[in-house]
PDB file of all heavy atoms in Angstrom:
ATOM      1  N   PRO A 340       0.290 -14.269  -6.146  1.00 96.00           N
ATOM      2  CA  PRO A 340       1.700 -14.578  -6.480  1.00 96.00           C
ATOM      3  C   PRO A 340       2.689 -13.869  -5.560  1.00 96.00           C
ATOM      4  O   PRO A 340       3.755 -14.410  -5.281  1.00 96.00           O
ATOM      5  CB  PRO A 340       1.816 -14.153  -7.918  1.00 96.00           C
ATOM      6  CG  PRO A 340       0.698 -13.160  -8.147  1.00 96.00           C
ATOM      7  CD  PRO A 340      -0.382 -13.607  -7.277  1.00 96.00           C
ATOM      8  N   ARG A 341       2.329 -12.715  -5.101  1.00 96.00           N
ATOM      9  CA  ARG A 341       3.214 -11.975  -4.198  1.00 96.00           C
ATOM     10  C   ARG A 341       3.391 -12.721  -2.866  1.00 96.00           C
ATOM     11  O   ARG A 341       4.482 -12.816  -2.295  1.00 96.00           O
ATOM     12  CB  ARG A 341       2.727 -10.559  -3.974  1.00 96.00           C
ATOM     13  CG  ARG A 341       2.556  -9.707  -5.217  1.00 96.00           C
ATOM     14  CD  ARG A 341       1.734  -8.478  -4.949  1.00 96.00           C
ATOM     15  NE  ARG A 341       0.460  -8.841  -4.421  1.00 96.00           N
ATOM     16  CZ  ARG A 341      -0.397  -7.964  -3.891  1.00 96.00           C
ATOM     17  NH1 ARG A 341      -0.072  -6.676  -3.811  1.00 96.00           N
ATOM     18  NH2 ARG A 341      -1.568  -8.357  -3.411  1.00 96.00           N
ATOM     19  N   ALA A 342       2.185 -13.212  -2.310  1.00 96.00           N
ATOM     20  CA  ALA A 342       2.260 -13.982  -1.119  1.00 96.00           C
ATOM     21  C   ALA A 342       3.059 -15.290  -1.281  1.00 96.00           C
ATOM     22  O   ALA A 342       3.750 -15.728  -0.398  1.00 96.00           O
ATOM     23  CB  ALA A 342       0.829 -14.246  -0.617  1.00 96.00           C
ATOM     24  N   VAL A 343       2.824 -15.929  -2.403  1.00 96.00           N
ATOM     25  CA  VAL A 343       3.525 -17.202  -2.690  1.00 96.00           C
ATOM     26  C   VAL A 343       5.045 -16.987  -2.676  1.00 96.00           C
ATOM     27  O   VAL A 343       5.806 -17.763  -2.040  1.00 96.00           O
ATOM     28  CB  VAL A 343       3.072 -17.787  -4.055  1.00 96.00           C
ATOM     29  CG1 VAL A 343       3.954 -18.962  -4.425  1.00 96.00           C
ATOM     30  CG2 VAL A 343       1.608 -18.181  -4.024  1.00 96.00           C
ATOM     31  N   ILE A 344       5.463 -15.951  -3.382  1.00 95.00           N
ATOM     32  CA  ILE A 344       6.918 -15.671  -3.381  1.00 95.00           C
ATOM     33  C   ILE A 344       7.446 -15.280  -2.032  1.00 95.00           C
ATOM     34  O   ILE A 344       8.468 -15.789  -1.589  1.00 95.00           O
ATOM     35  CB  ILE A 344       7.216 -14.512  -4.397  1.00 95.00           C
ATOM     36  CG1 ILE A 344       6.887 -14.958  -5.823  1.00 95.00           C
ATOM     37  CG2 ILE A 344       8.652 -14.026  -4.301  1.00 95.00           C
ATOM     38  CD1 ILE A 344       6.916 -13.829  -6.863  1.00 95.00           C
ATOM     39  N   LEU A 345       6.710 -14.406  -1.313  1.00 95.00           N
ATOM     40  CA  LEU A 345       7.175 -13.969  -0.009  1.00 95.00           C
ATOM     41  C   LEU A 345       7.211 -15.074   0.956  1.00 95.00           C
ATOM     42  O   LEU A 345       8.147 -15.188   1.774  1.00 95.00           O
ATOM     43  CB  LEU A 345       6.257 -12.827   0.459  1.00 95.00           C
ATOM     44  CG  LEU A 345       6.728 -12.046   1.712  1.00 95.00           C
ATOM     45  CD1 LEU A 345       8.084 -11.449   1.505  1.00 95.00           C
ATOM     46  CD2 LEU A 345       5.727 -10.956   1.999  1.00 95.00           C
ATOM     47  N   LYS A 346       6.212 -15.940   0.903  1.00 95.00           N
ATOM     48  CA  LYS A 346       6.126 -17.095   1.861  1.00 95.00           C
ATOM     49  C   LYS A 346       7.379 -17.972   1.593  1.00 95.00           C
ATOM     50  O   LYS A 346       7.950 -18.491   2.576  1.00 95.00           O
ATOM     51  CB  LYS A 346       4.875 -17.857   1.594  1.00 95.00           C
ATOM     52  CG  LYS A 346       4.660 -19.045   2.506  1.00 95.00           C
ATOM     53  CD  LYS A 346       3.338 -19.721   2.192  1.00 95.00           C
ATOM     54  CE  LYS A 346       3.121 -20.988   3.021  1.00 95.00           C
ATOM     55  NZ  LYS A 346       1.807 -21.638   2.714  1.00 95.00           N
ATOM     56  N   ARG A 347       7.742 -18.220   0.344  1.00 93.00           N
ATOM     57  CA  ARG A 347       8.937 -19.055   0.071  1.00 93.00           C
ATOM     58  C   ARG A 347      10.193 -18.529   0.681  1.00 93.00           C
ATOM     59  O   ARG A 347      10.932 -19.280   1.345  1.00 93.00           O
ATOM     60  CB  ARG A 347       9.066 -19.196  -1.443  1.00 93.00           C
ATOM     61  CG  ARG A 347      10.190 -20.165  -1.846  1.00 93.00           C
ATOM     62  CD  ARG A 347      10.220 -20.344  -3.346  1.00 93.00           C
ATOM     63  NE  ARG A 347      10.953 -19.259  -4.038  1.00 93.00           N
ATOM     64  CZ  ARG A 347      10.418 -18.429  -4.891  1.00 93.00           C
ATOM     65  NH1 ARG A 347       9.096 -18.540  -5.238  1.00 93.00           N
ATOM     66  NH2 ARG A 347      11.124 -17.504  -5.462  1.00 93.00           N
ATOM     67  N   PHE A 348      10.401 -17.237   0.469  1.00 90.00           N
ATOM     68  CA  PHE A 348      11.651 -16.621   1.035  1.00 90.00           C
ATOM     69  C   PHE A 348      11.585 -16.549   2.542  1.00 90.00           C
ATOM     70  O   PHE A 348      12.593 -16.775   3.252  1.00 90.00           O
ATOM     71  CB  PHE A 348      11.847 -15.238   0.436  1.00 90.00           C
ATOM     72  CG  PHE A 348      12.395 -15.274  -0.964  1.00 90.00           C
ATOM     73  CD1 PHE A 348      11.530 -15.191  -2.069  1.00 90.00           C
ATOM     74  CD2 PHE A 348      13.774 -15.434  -1.204  1.00 90.00           C
ATOM     75  CE1 PHE A 348      12.018 -15.201  -3.353  1.00 90.00           C
ATOM     76  CE2 PHE A 348      14.267 -15.463  -2.507  1.00 90.00           C
ATOM     77  CZ  PHE A 348      13.387 -15.372  -3.589  1.00 90.00           C
ATOM     78  N   ALA A 349      10.404 -16.236   3.079  1.00 91.00           N
ATOM     79  CA  ALA A 349      10.280 -16.126   4.573  1.00 91.00           C
ATOM     80  C   ALA A 349      10.526 -17.439   5.227  1.00 91.00           C
ATOM     81  O   ALA A 349      11.164 -17.559   6.352  1.00 91.00           O
ATOM     82  CB  ALA A 349       8.904 -15.623   4.921  1.00 91.00           C
ATOM     83  N   ALA A 350      10.042 -18.565   4.620  1.00 93.00           N
ATOM     84  CA  ALA A 350      10.249 -19.904   5.187  1.00 93.00           C
ATOM     85  C   ALA A 350      11.704 -20.192   5.323  1.00 93.00           C
ATOM     86  O   ALA A 350      12.145 -20.785   6.388  1.00 93.00           O
ATOM     87  CB  ALA A 350       9.539 -20.889   4.327  1.00 93.00           C
ATOM     88  N   ARG A 351      12.501 -19.830   4.341  1.00 90.00           N
ATOM     89  CA  ARG A 351      13.945 -20.128   4.391  1.00 90.00           C
ATOM     90  C   ARG A 351      14.608 -19.319   5.493  1.00 90.00           C
ATOM     91  O   ARG A 351      15.464 -19.839   6.178  1.00 90.00           O
ATOM     92  CB  ARG A 351      14.556 -19.873   3.028  1.00 90.00           C
ATOM     93  CG  ARG A 351      14.072 -20.716   1.899  1.00 90.00           C
ATOM     94  CD  ARG A 351      14.650 -20.278   0.571  1.00 90.00           C
ATOM     95  NE  ARG A 351      14.142 -21.088  -0.554  1.00 90.00           N
ATOM     96  CZ  ARG A 351      14.383 -20.800  -1.807  1.00 90.00           C
ATOM     97  NH1 ARG A 351      15.130 -19.763  -2.154  1.00 90.00           N
ATOM     98  NH2 ARG A 351      13.898 -21.592  -2.775  1.00 90.00           N
ATOM     99  N   LEU A 352      14.233 -18.087   5.622  1.00 87.00           N
ATOM    100  CA  LEU A 352      14.909 -17.225   6.595  1.00 87.00           C
ATOM    101  C   LEU A 352      14.476 -17.552   8.041  1.00 87.00           C
ATOM    102  O   LEU A 352      15.244 -17.435   8.960  1.00 87.00           O
ATOM    103  CB  LEU A 352      14.597 -15.726   6.303  1.00 87.00           C
ATOM    104  CG  LEU A 352      15.528 -14.725   6.899  1.00 87.00           C
ATOM    105  CD1 LEU A 352      16.964 -14.954   6.402  1.00 87.00           C
ATOM    106  CD2 LEU A 352      15.099 -13.259   6.655  1.00 87.00           C
ATOM    107  N   ALA A 353      13.252 -18.010   8.187  1.00 93.00           N
ATOM    108  CA  ALA A 353      12.730 -18.318   9.524  1.00 93.00           C
ATOM    109  C   ALA A 353      13.145 -19.691  10.016  1.00 93.00           C
ATOM    110  O   ALA A 353      13.149 -19.957  11.225  1.00 93.00           O
ATOM    111  CB  ALA A 353      11.227 -18.231   9.525  1.00 93.00           C
TER     112      ALA A 353
END
Side-chain angles (χ1 to χ4, degrees):
R341 303 166 302 169
V343 172
I344 293 169
L345 190 55
K346 181 179 177 180
R347 184 177 81 243
F348 283 96
R351 294 174 184 174
L352 200 62

